[in-house]
Amino acid sequence: MPHGTDLPARYAVFGHPISHSLSPAIHRLFGEQCGITLEYTAIDVAPEAFADTVRRFLARAHGANVTLPHKAAAFALAQERSAAASRAGSANVLTRLADGRLLAHNTDGAGLVRDLTGRQQCALQGSRVLLLGAGGAARGVAWELLDAGVEELTIVNRTPDTAAALAGALGVTRARARYWQDLDELGSFDLIVHATSAGVLGQALALPPSLATSQTVGYDLSYGSGAQSFLAWARAAGARAACDGLGMLVEQAADAFALWHGRRPETDPVYAHLRATLA
Ligand code: ATR
């Protein structure tokens, strides 16, 4: 409870658009599970109004989640930044500290790794991973993939300079950039992470089937209609599994919940509920 009152603690997710966000349902279910009363809403805000709107909200609330297209702006807004947010240059969680300053954190990468290694039974230690895309979504997960023991992280992006910049920022020989037009010469991968916005934009990607074998896991960071074209490609290419980002969404939310409430909820029941609802 905030400030010693009996009002429910206030949280929100900020995005543009945001109407289909599952975050309010996820945090409501987490709260019920943990016996914590909270108010969590979805707030649509255009980029030019983001900073003022979030500052005003957080003057009277405990924390916020931030999604597209505001993650870099959320990072810029904060006075304190976690290591995960700093290396990604973006934040999906803002927390108001006791002295009123804002702390930016990024739980996306940890959420992906937890979903992959747990729910999807995808071993990352020693694995060969292809990361498609080098924008905000890719930056949000690249360091955590390396931290989880990925042996070779190959980054391929439509604009090659951006892939090279991300590989350079990662700063280890295990991470390297390759050209999109050379995809059919790269062999196959244990895991292919789709982190471009092509699916969400309704644009088709040309990917050779040689990237996948019957051992490969294909993982799209988004869920819903935006993930469908990559997942269809992964299935057609014979991948062992084609996973959308619903599990990552629930896991990153659980990490945000833990930051705010000091307790990490069980994610499996919430994941199962959402999966059934989406189906
Ligand atoms: P996000 O936060 O969703 O990652 P972003 O930072 O704008 O958004 O990054 C979008 C990513 O999707 C970039 O890697 C982009 O490639 P470019 O750097 O070449 O722009 C990639 N992307 C978007 N549309 C694409 C398409 N039709 N084909 C391939 N890659 C695409």
Side-chain angles (χ1 to χ4, degrees):
M1 299 293 169
H3 312 304
T5 74
D6 57 1
L7 292 171
R10 288 181 75 209
Y11 301 87
V13 57
F14 290 82
H16 186 62
I18 198 68
S19 59
H20 297 298
S21 173
L22 295 175
S23 293
I26 293 172
H27 281 269
R28 179 177 50 75
L29 290 166
F30 285 164
E32 284 170 15
Q33 190 193 113
C34 298
I36 294 172
T37 307
L38 57 90
E39 183 190 304
Y40 189 113
T41 51
I43 299 177
D44 193 321
V45 59
E48 57 275 15
F50 174 77
D52 280 350
T53 308
V54 172
R55 263 198 220 101
R56 243 181 289 124
F57 176 81
L58 284 174
R60 292 162 39 83
H62 280 191
N65 283 126
V66 180
T67 187
L68 298 178
H70 302 311
K71 291 185 179 183
F75 176 76
L77 189 69
Q79 293 84 29
E80 291 284 319
R81 289 134 177 196
S82 73
S86 295
R87 56 195 190 175
S90 70
N92 68 328
V93 187
L94 287 172
T95 305
R96 183 169 51 74
L97 301 170
D99 62 5
R101 288 176 311 134
L102 300 184
L103 167 67
H105 191 48
N106 195 318
T107 61
D108 285 336
L112 171 66
V113 166
R114 201 184 275 259
D115 186 46
L116 277 169
T117 54
R119 196 169 287 116
Q120 313 302 347
Q121 298 180 7
C122 176
L124 293 174
Q125 196 72 43
S127 62
R128 287 192 85 217
V129 176
L130 174 63
L131 180 59
L132 294 168
R139 295 183 71 88
V141 301
W143 277 268
E144 282 75 9
L145 287 169
L146 289 173
D147 286 351
V150 165
E151 181 58 37
E152 232 180 272
L153 182 67
T154 301
I155 305 161
V156 173
N157 192 49
R158 179 178 61 181
T159 307
D161 285 357
T162 319
L166 176 52
L170 290 164
V172 289
T173 52
R174 288 186 290 146
R176 55 183 198 158
R178 289 289 181 266
Y179 291 107
W180 197 286
Q181 61 266 31
D182 294 341
L183 274 173
D184 56 1
E185 295 164 17
L186 298 181
S188 62
F189 292 85
D190 300 308
L191 168 67
I192 304 172
V193 176
H194 181 224
T196 86
S197 50
V200 174
L201 297 171
Q203 298 165 357
L205 285 186
L207 298 172
S210 56
L211 296 172
T213 69
S214 58
Q215 302 305 310
T216 301
V217 171
Y219 196 105
D220 197 303
L221 296 187
S222 62
Y223 63 90
S225 59
Q228 293 315 311
S229 111
F230 174 76
L231 297 182
W233 172 84
R235 286 188 203 102
R240 166 169 78 79
C243 315
D244 68 10
L246 186 67
M248 171 180 166
L249 179 79
V250 176
E251 298 301 334
Q252 64 77 28
D255 283 347
F257 190 95
L259 280 172
W260 293 332
H261 304 290
R263 178 170 163 196
R264 196 175 199 280
E266 292 288 325
T267 52
D268 282 344
V270 175
Y271 174 80
H273 175 84
L274 294 176
R275 181 60 78 198
T277 309
L278 286 183

